[in-house]
Amino acid sequence: MDLVAIEYREAVLHSRSIAILGKSGIFKSNLGIYATSIWDETLYKAWGGIVNSLIPNLDIVEDGLKDLQRVTDGEEIVLFEQNTFLTVTRVGSDVGNDNPNHDRYERLSNIIKTFKNSLSVYADSNSSHQFDSFVVKTRVFNLIINRLTYNAYVLFVFPPGEAELQCAKLNILAAKDEFAHIESVAEGIDDGLKMARGKSTYG
């Protein structure tokens, strides 16, 4: 939308959306249309929506995150894809859901990706510049960003306090095997779909 004057963007988006939906046929009900710019976080929102739609067992992942949120009294849990740090999904308590900053996931994706890339300054050429965990402690809340599986990081916001922090760390550690199993099942589903498509195409 950067090439469209600001006063015309809403009208252009509306007309283009109508045209796209008119050509989408049976896929219309599941179609997402995004107005993006290279100057803000809208690209992260659009790509995050695409990543979200590609997860074959997202409901199981979200159920696992909800269980983790309940046992730790977490305010919000956000799951990120580990390479791009695009938002896969999130769950939250009433407190987390009342957060007025609705673009926070896209901002977080941008900030964490920048931080991850900055690690290359201190890493050797053979490093993938990954980090295992990151902790922020304040008087108002605790925050952990932690690797959850081979392909995902989790951002976890919960009440302040050292006991709460250590409890959250233990619960994330305990949850890793379960989420790794969910991820492996998803990869098996994806491989099965690829094989099925191969058979239907060439069989």
Side-chain angles (χ1 to χ4, degrees):
M1 299 295 284
D2 296 318
L3 300 179
V4 181
I6 294 175
E7 62 268 26
Y8 299 122
R9 288 180 182 177
E10 187 173 343
V12 169
L13 175 62
H14 180 68
S15 65
R16 294 292 189 274
S17 298
I18 291 175
I20 292 170
L21 291 171
K23 298 288 186 179
S24 300
I26 62 172
F27 303 105
K28 180 166 57 177
S29 61
N30 296 320
L31 196 64
I33 300 173
Y34 301 89
T36 63
S37 168
I38 63 171
W39 303 112
D40 58 28
E41 290 80 20
T42 51
L43 278 173
Y44 283 92
K45 182 177 182 179
W47 282 110
I50 293 170
V51 170
N52 180 282
S53 69
L54 295 175
I55 306 299
N57 56 349
L58 186 61
D59 55 338
I60 300 175
V61 173
E62 290 177 341
D63 286 343
L65 292 177
K66 288 175 184 176
D67 288 341
L68 183 60
Q69 181 258 321
R70 280 194 295 267
V71 299
T72 56
D73 198 27
E75 294 179 7
E76 189 160 33
I77 300 178
V78 186
L79 193 68
F80 294 101
E81 194 277 326
Q82 68 102 9
N83 285 319
T84 61
F85 267 92
L86 293 170
T87 302
V88 175
T89 189
R90 53 82 59 187
V91 298
S93 66
D94 291 339
V95 174
N97 292 333
D98 285 339
N99 192 316
N101 299 306
H102 300 298
D103 63 343
R104 62 190 180 278
Y105 310 117
E106 293 76 40
R107 292 188 180 190
L108 283 167
S109 292
N110 195 4
I111 291 168
I112 300 169
K113 184 70 179 292
T114 301
F115 169 73
K116 183 164 109 34
N117 290 339
S118 71
L119 297 179
S120 63
V121 177
Y122 306 100
D124 59 49
S125 59
N126 295 322
S127 172
S128 59
H129 313 141
Q130 303 294 341
F131 64 96
D132 187 65
S133 64
F134 181 87
V135 177
V136 176
K137 296 191 289 184
T138 76
R139 294 180 179 180
V140 181
F141 65 88
N142 282 320
L143 181 148
I144 294 178
I145 303 171
N146 205 99
R147 181 184 284 276
L148 187 63
T149 69
Y150 180 77
N151 293 312
Y153 278 80
V154 64
L155 181 147
F156 192 11
V157 182
F158 53 98
E162 186 62 27
E164 287 79 1
L165 175 62
Q166 298 306 322
C167 180
K169 286 182 176 180
L170 288 173
N171 278 289
I172 291 173
L173 183 63
K176 283 187 174 184
D177 286 343
E178 178 63 25
F179 280 96
H181 173 69
I182 294 172
E183 188 174 271
S184 66
V185 170
E187 290 174 351
I189 292 172
D190 187 53
D191 290 341
L193 288 173
K194 289 176 182 176
M195 291 177 64
R197 291 190 187 110
K199 290 178 180 178
S200 63
T201 304
Y202 303 109

